[in-house]
């Protein structure tokens, strides 16, 4: 039980909208999630239940109000809910990767370098990082002629595949996948399924939101239900 | 985290007559970290930058800088020559208007080489090589090394200012709206240049900007200021995506796709 | 001379100037402000030098005054006569005989010795005045020994001309601390300032500054390791005395392009000729270079 890679304890998250007269919108309530090495947990629940909010909270992008988010980082457990920003940055660099639905492009940086930069955390030279980046992009059917271009002009599907390559190349022990296949065709979805399975085989722990039931069934070891907030009143 | 801060401010306050420009500001900066100070005009962010860099003295409070050999210096009580030495070696300052920093009557090479010469570099060939290298690093054609800055475009001037500042490999650079006043396309190029140089050389940066997109692209951490106070501080993407304070929510919601 | 105090200035003024001189000697190369007085001479003709000379002159001194190296030019003659009349001091044109030498634009070729004082007339005491318009800022730069800007000027010269293009008033570092304007002497004379046994005083009347280099003080001309300071002189020997080591003036001898290079230091040239040295051009005695005024 205590060899979890990621564990939340009583995690609660609400949004206080000051601009709307201080309305408080509760989203997550008492989330207890466990994630172990080599397994893939799929978050399920109706739209608006808070699956993405939970993912973002796990990544430290959203601030947890109550509860703990424990991450196995560098041999000890770190609570992201209270960690110093610099610790969160270190966790993201070394321990936990995140593939969002949309690629936030950096102006002028080529697709290859976006991916290679993510690989630099564990590779020693830019050349090896670029080599690995090119191989992964090619595997995700991004033709070599596009590697040198900034992805700003790419299609939605191409951008998402660049994003996936960036997420998978880092080799983080924990990977968060938010709708990784939403804009992909069947051939590329199959590549992603293979990448997830290979990652699990290497012991990487994955939390994912998979819109596509077929893919979810193909990769998830178990499901974790995120239920809409129950009005206490 | 065992490492110690590079720059720390505690209880910094400053009033201009009845106007409270800074009220009890605390700030910390770690080596290699980029800290953005965001807020609207008059929020005190530029005043804070000036106090942190020793250019303006606080009414109360103190700012400390840790030297490479671990010595802790009080920025506002250290002797003026020592502060000046810091400013021309370990520190850098990038102004919004590059003309404030550049010598417009001196060639690009002379502008880049000045800090080296001020540090005692006395080999013309080495100074020139370093100047040429930094023109390349900042994407200025090295053939223009003997041209006067007045023949440069706004974006080139800003890149020249960055070359002039980084040539001594400072550990800490203060930036005041470094992309302000530039065209959007020029801004994007400059931001990417700053981002890659700062990452490559592990430079710590205190960046003042009113542009949230600039903070998101460059900064590890962000401080939000309003009326001379820090209203929110934290991981940049957390502050911008999940703002807690009413003012930060207003600031973030007034920007499209920040 | 009746109606005037010894050496023209009143004693209070001389004391004030001496205090400035003492301070200047204590901080080699540092510019000391002083209350410059009206002098019966236009600015730019040596009002600063005259005030310094007046303040240090004693009854037993022997004064030499040169302008561009020559004892016989109008300015040199006037100043020498001024002190001969107001202080009744002995004067000389012989460098070796003088105890006080007031100069404009040259250092004599004959090496100065212990006990002598050389007083330079200085139009502009601030070496960075062309580079930094603000005096507040240049003062701060001196205070912090922040002289990168001066090297930028040298860098710019090399970048544009291929060499350092300063031929006179070439900036020097005094005692490895203060950047100093040596007054508009040719760069050729700069090395003479280094470890000079004589006391060097500088007076700028219009700018109201006095500075000094005490005897045996290090004076280095700014340069780069790979572009070392080079004291240039015209590549000729003196037409009159044949000297190959002196600073030369170029004299046009006719309107068909005839030229003659002669020592700018008239005393040096005459001394050599008196010793029997004759220039390669075989110029007969009586040509330009002879002293006009006999003063002893």
């Amino acid at each position: 039980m205590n060899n979890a890679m990621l564990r939340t304890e009583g995690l609660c998250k609400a949004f206080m909208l000051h601009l709307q007269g201080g309305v408080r919108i509760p989203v997550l309530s008492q989330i207890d999630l466990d994630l172990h090495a080599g397994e893939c947990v799929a978050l399920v629940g109706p739209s608006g239940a808070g699956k993405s909010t939970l993912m973002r909270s796990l990544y430290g992008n959203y601030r947890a109000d109550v509860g703990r988010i424990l991450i196995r980082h560098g041999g000890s457990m770190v609570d992201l809910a209270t960690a110093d920003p610099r610790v969160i940055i270190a966790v993201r660099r070394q321990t936990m990767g995140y593939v969002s639905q949309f690629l936030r492009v950096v102006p002028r940086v080529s697709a290859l370098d976006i991916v290679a930069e993510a690989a630099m955390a564990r590779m020693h030279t830019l050349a090896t990082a670029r080599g690995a980046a090119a191989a992964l992009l090619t595997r995700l059917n991004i033709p070599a002629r596009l590697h040198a271009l900034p992805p700003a002009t790419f299609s939605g599907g191409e951008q998402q595949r660049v994003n996936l390559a960036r997420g998978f190349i880092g080799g983080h022990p924990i990977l968060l996948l938010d709708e990784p296949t939403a804009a992909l065709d069947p051939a590329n979805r199959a590549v992603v399924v293979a990448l997830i399975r290979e990652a699990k085989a290497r012991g990487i722990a994955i939390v994912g939101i998979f819109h596509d039931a077929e893919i979810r069934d193909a990769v998830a070891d178990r499901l974790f239900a995120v239920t809409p907030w129950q009005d206490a009143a | 985290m065992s490492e110690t801060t590079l720059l720390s401010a505690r209880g910094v306050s400053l009033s201009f007559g009845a106007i409270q420009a800074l009220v009890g500001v605390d700030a910390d900066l770690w080596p290699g970290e980029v800290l953005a100070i965001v807020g609207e005009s008059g929020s005190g962010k530029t005043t804070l930058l000036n106090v942190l860099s020793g250019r303006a003295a606080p009414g109360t409070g103190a700012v400390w800088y840790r030297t490479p050999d671990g010595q802790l210096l009080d920025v506002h009580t250290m002797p003026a020559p020592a502060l000046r030495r810091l400013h021309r070696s370990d520190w850098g300052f990038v102004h919004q208007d590059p003309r404030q920093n550049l010598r417009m009557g001196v060639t690009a090479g002379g502008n880049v080489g000045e800090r080296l010469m001020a540090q005692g570099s006395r080999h013309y060939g080495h100074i020139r090589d370093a100047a040429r290298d930094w023109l390349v690093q900042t994407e200025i054609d090295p053939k223009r090394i003997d041209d006067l800055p007045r023949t440069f475009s706004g974006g080139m001037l800003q890149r020249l200012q960055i070359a002039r500042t980084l040539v001594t490999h400072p550990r800490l650079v203060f930036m005041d709206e470094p992309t302000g006043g530039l065209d959007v396309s020029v801004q994007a190029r400059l931001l990417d240049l700053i981002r890659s140089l700062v990452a490559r050389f592990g430079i710590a940066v205190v960046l003042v900007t009113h542009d949230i997109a600039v903070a998101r692209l460059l900064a590890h951490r962000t401080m939000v200021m309003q009326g001379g106070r820090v209203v929110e501080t934290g991981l940049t993407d957390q502050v911008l995506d999940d703002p807690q304070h009413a003012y930060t929510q207003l600031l973030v919601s007034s920007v499209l796709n920040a | 001379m009746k109606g005037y105090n010894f050496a023209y200035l009143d004693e209070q003024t001389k004391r004030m100037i001496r205090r400035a001189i003492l301070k200047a000697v204590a901080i080699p190369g540092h510019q000391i402000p002083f209350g410059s007085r009206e002098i019966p001479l236009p600015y730019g003709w040596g009002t600063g030098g005259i005030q310094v000379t007046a303040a240090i002159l004693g009854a037993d001194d022997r004064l030499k005054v040169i302008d561009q190296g020559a004892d016989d030019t109008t300015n040199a003659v006037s100043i020498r006569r001024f002190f001969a009349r107001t202080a009744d001091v002995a004067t000389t044109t012989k460098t070796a005989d003088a105890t006080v030498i007031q100069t404009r634009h040259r250092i004599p070729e004959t090496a100065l010795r212990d006990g002598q004082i050389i007083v330079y007339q200085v139009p502009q005491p601030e070496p960075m005045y062309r580079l930094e318009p603000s005096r507040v800022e240049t003062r701060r730069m001196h205070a912090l020994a922040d002289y990168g800007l001066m090297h930028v000027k040298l860098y710019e010269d090399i970048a544009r001309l291929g060499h350092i293009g300063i031929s006179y008033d070439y900036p020097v570092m005094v005692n490895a601390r203060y950047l100093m304007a040596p007054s508009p002497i040719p760069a050729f004379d700069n090395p003479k300032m280094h470890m000079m046994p004589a006391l060097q005083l500088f007076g700028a009347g219009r700018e109201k500054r006095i500075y000094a280099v005490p005897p045996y003080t290090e004076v280095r001309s700014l340069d780069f390791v790979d572009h070392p300071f080079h004291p240039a002189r015209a590549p000729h020997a003196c037409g009159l005395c044949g000297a190959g080591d002196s600073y030369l003036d170029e004299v046009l001898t006719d309107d068909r392009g005839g030229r003659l290079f002669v020592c700018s230091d008239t005393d040096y040239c005459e001394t050599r000729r008196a010793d029997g040295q004759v220039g390669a051009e075989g110029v007969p005695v009586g040509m330009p270079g002879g002293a006009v005024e006999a003063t002893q």
Side-chain angles (χ1 to χ4, degrees), chain A residues 46-117:
Chain A
S47 178
K51 299 189 294 291
S52 281
T53 298
L54 176 54
M55 285 290 247
R56 285 168 167 255
S57 301
L58 293 180
Y59 196 56
N61 180 223
Y62 285 176
R63 201 174 304 200
D65 301 330
V66 178
R68 304 207 291 171
I69 303 169
L70 299 169
I71 306 285
R72 183 172 299 283
H73 169 66
S76 60
M77 294 306 265
V78 168
D79 181 5
L80 282 199
T82 55
D84 186 279
R86 293 179 308 123
V87 176
I88 300 178
I89 289 171
V91 166
R92 289 176 179 181
R93 190 172 295 147
Q94 295 156 28
T95 303
M96 185 161 57
Y98 183 62
V99 178
S100 61
Q101 282 169 278
F102 304 103
L103 176 66
R104 193 182 285 280
V105 291
V106 177
R108 294 205 311 152
V109 179
S110 71
L112 186 70
D113 282 349
I114 287 177
V115 180
E117 203 170 289

Side-chain angles (χ1 to χ4, degrees), chain A residues 13 15 46 53 61 64 73 77 118 128 133 154 157 159 181 184 190 199 208:
Chain A
K13 173 66 187 168
F15 292 99
T53 298
N61 180 223
H73 169 66
M77 294 306 265
T128 39
F154 290 10
Q159 291 199 1
T181 57
L184 301 186

Side-chain angles (χ1 to χ4, degrees), chain C residues 1-115:
Chain C
M1 199 170 170
K2 280 204 163 44
Y4 286 99
N5 191 36
F6 178 81
Y8 185 73
L9 291 177
D10 63 274
E11 290 305 315
Q12 286 306 316
T13 298
K14 287 197 278 189
R15 286 178 64 181
M16 175 270 292
I17 294 172
R18 285 178 203 135
R19 278 198 294 271
I21 291 171
L22 284 174
K23 203 165 169 182
V25 169
I27 315 170
H30 178 51
Q31 301 167 42
I32 312 294
F34 79 108
S36 184
R37 297 293 190 255
E38 286 294 323
I39 292 291
L41 197 73
Y43 284 135
W45 287 62
T47 55
I50 280 195
Q51 291 180 77
V52 170
T53 300
I56 61 171
L57 219 48
D60 330 326
D61 273 315
R62 184 172 292 116
L63 178 68
K64 169 182 167 79
V65 182
I66 49 173
D67 180 1
Q68 302 273 17
D71 297 89
D72 55 1
T73 52
T74 312
N75 203 22
V77 171
S78 307
I79 294 172
R80 189 163 56 233
R81 188 158 38 191
F82 174 79
F83 282 117
R85 291 170 68 183
T86 59
D88 195 26
V89 290
T91 61
T92 179
T93 59
K94 298 276 170 235
T95 300
D97 294 344
T99 55
V100 174
I101 301 169
Q102 181 173 333
T103 177
R104 172 176 177 265
H105 294 195
R106 276 309 312 273
I107 298 175
E109 305 290 0
T110 306
L112 301 185
R113 54 173 164 74
D114 268 335

Side-chain angles (χ1 to χ4, degrees), chain C:
Chain C
M1 199 170 170
K2 280 204 163 44
Y4 286 99
N5 191 36
F6 178 81
Y8 185 73
L9 291 177
D10 63 274
E11 290 305 315
Q12 286 306 316
T13 298
K14 287 197 278 189
R15 286 178 64 181
M16 175 270 292
I17 294 172
R18 285 178 203 135
R19 278 198 294 271
I21 291 171
L22 284 174
K23 203 165 169 182
V25 169
I27 315 170
H30 178 51
Q31 301 167 42
I32 312 294
F34 79 108
S36 184
R37 297 293 190 255
E38 286 294 323
I39 292 291
L41 197 73
Y43 284 135
W45 287 62
T47 55
I50 280 195
Q51 291 180 77
V52 170
T53 300
I56 61 171
L57 219 48
D60 330 326
D61 273 315
R62 184 172 292 116
L63 178 68
K64 169 182 167 79
V65 182
I66 49 173
D67 180 1
Q68 302 273 17
D71 297 89
D72 55 1
T73 52
T74 312
N75 203 22
V77 171
S78 307
I79 294 172
R80 189 163 56 233
R81 188 158 38 191
F82 174 79
F83 282 117
R85 291 170 68 183
T86 59
D88 195 26
V89 290
T91 61
T92 179
T93 59
K94 298 276 170 235
T95 300
D97 294 344
T99 55
V100 174
I101 301 169
Q102 181 173 333
T103 177
R104 172 176 177 265
H105 294 195
R106 276 309 312 273
I107 298 175
E109 305 290 0
T110 306
L112 301 185
R113 54 173 164 74
D114 268 335
Q116 288 183 308
I117 300 175
I118 179 165
V119 178
Y120 299 77
Q121 299 171 199
V122 179
Q124 179 49 258
E126 176 47 62
M128 294 179 285
Y129 83 110
R130 284 186 198 281
L131 308 173
E132 172 54 61
S134 160
R135 284 308 156 92
V136 173
E137 182 58 23
T138 55
R139 270 207 292 277
R140 184 164 28 231
M141 290 160 92
H142 283 296
L144 304 176
D146 187 357
Y147 297 132
L149 181 59
M150 195 74 237
H151 270 92
V152 169
K153 153 74 180 148
L154 304 188
Y155 167 94
E156 292 286 286
D157 272 9
I158 299 171
R160 285 181 204 178
L161 312 170
H163 58 91
I164 297 170
I166 308 171
S167 54
Y168 62 92
D169 209 352
Y170 191 109
V172 293
M173 280 298 285
V174 177
N175 202 25
R177 174 59 184 83
Y178 280 97
L179 183 70
M180 189 187 86
S183 87
I185 58 171
F188 174 82
D189 283 343
N190 274 19
K192 295 175 186 162
M193 307 179 80
H194 177 60
M195 298 309 254
M196 185 189 275
L199 170 63
Q200 306 176 67
L201 301 177
F202 299 78
R206 184 188 56 215
E207 302 293 329
K208 303 175 175 54
R209 292 290 184 278
I210 286 171
Y211 50 101
V213 176
Y216 302 105
T217 300
E218 190 183 327
V219 178
R220 298 282 184 199
S221 303
L222 296 195
D223 63 359
F224 290 102
V225 177
D226 49 343
H227 285 265
F229 170 76
H230 175 64
R233 68 182 287 276
H236 300 278
C238 172
L240 301 179
C241 74
D245 58 354
S246 63
Y247 191 73
L248 299 175
D249 283 341
E250 185 179 359
V251 180
L252 296 181
T253 52
D254 54 44
D255 47 10
R256 297 185 305 279
R259 297 181 303 175
L260 177 65
F261 286 94
V262 295
C263 290
S264 119
D265 184 337
T266 51
D267 169 57
Y268 183 69
C269 199
E270 279 164 22
T271 308
R272 282 175 55 84
R273 288 161 74 202
D275 287 350
Q277 309 268 9
V278 179
E281 300 182 34
V283 178
V285 178
M287 281 293 288
V292 166
E293 185 196 38
T295 52
Q296 283 161 328

Side-chain angles (χ1 to χ4, degrees), chain A residues 13 16 60-61 63 92, chain B residues 1 237-238 241-242 244 249:
Chain A
K13 173 66 187 168
M16 173 69 83
N61 180 223
R63 201 174 304 200
R92 289 176 179 181
Chain B
M1 290 254 152
D237 63 80
Q238 204 175 70
D241 292 339
D242 186 17
Q244 307 291 309
Q249 290 187 0

Side-chain angles (χ1 to χ4, degrees), chain B residues 26-206:
Chain B
D26 294 342
D28 285 302
L29 184 72
W30 278 267
E33 184 186 45
V34 180
L35 171 68
I37 306 173
V38 302
E40 62 200 18
S41 304
S43 60
K45 56 190 196 301
T46 297
T47 305
L48 178 58
L49 189 73
N50 287 335
V51 169
L52 291 178
S53 60
R55 292 155 53 91
T60 58
V63 180
W64 294 273
Y65 169 70
R66 193 179 304 271
T67 63
D69 54 13
Q71 221 187 329
L72 211 53
L73 302 175
D74 183 327
V75 169
H76 296 283
T77 61
M78 67 197 286
L83 182 62
R84 182 96 158 196
R85 232 176 355 259
L86 263 187
H87 264 289
R88 67 190 189 202
S89 55
D90 261 19
W91 291 8
F93 203 106
V94 173
H95 296 263
Q96 175 174 3
D97 180 4
R99 289 166 193 83
Q100 267 188 273
N101 191 346
L102 294 171
R103 297 192 186 277
M104 298 306 281
V106 167
T107 62
N111 266 293
V112 178
E114 179 170 355
R115 276 167 70 100
L116 291 175
M117 292 183 250
Q119 281 191 355
S121 198
R122 292 291 176 264
H123 191 291
Y124 174 82
H126 295 171
I127 293 163
R128 200 152 168 87
D129 289 346
R132 208 178 274 119
D133 176 47
W134 274 97
L135 291 181
V136 172
Q137 300 248 34
T138 51
E139 301 170 13
I140 297 171
D141 184 352
K143 285 196 201 79
R144 307 209 52 180
I145 189 167
D146 293 330
D147 290 354
L148 292 178
R150 67 169 71 102
T151 64
F152 286 16
S153 69
M156 280 173 77
L157 283 179
Q158 196 53 283
R159 296 203 300 279
L160 183 62
Q161 183 185 199
I162 289 167
R164 171 178 164 91
T165 307
L166 297 190
V167 68
T168 52
H169 292 281
R171 305 165 72 212
L172 169 59
V173 175
F174 301 93
M175 297 188 180
D176 188 6
E177 303 273 9
T179 59
L182 296 174
D183 292 344
V184 175
S185 63
V186 177
Q187 266 193 28
R189 180 177 180 186
L190 187 68
L191 281 174
D192 178 47
L193 178 73
I194 293 174
R195 197 184 68 95
S196 59
L197 289 175
V198 161
R200 190 175 339 143
F201 296 103
I203 303 165
V205 176
V206 182

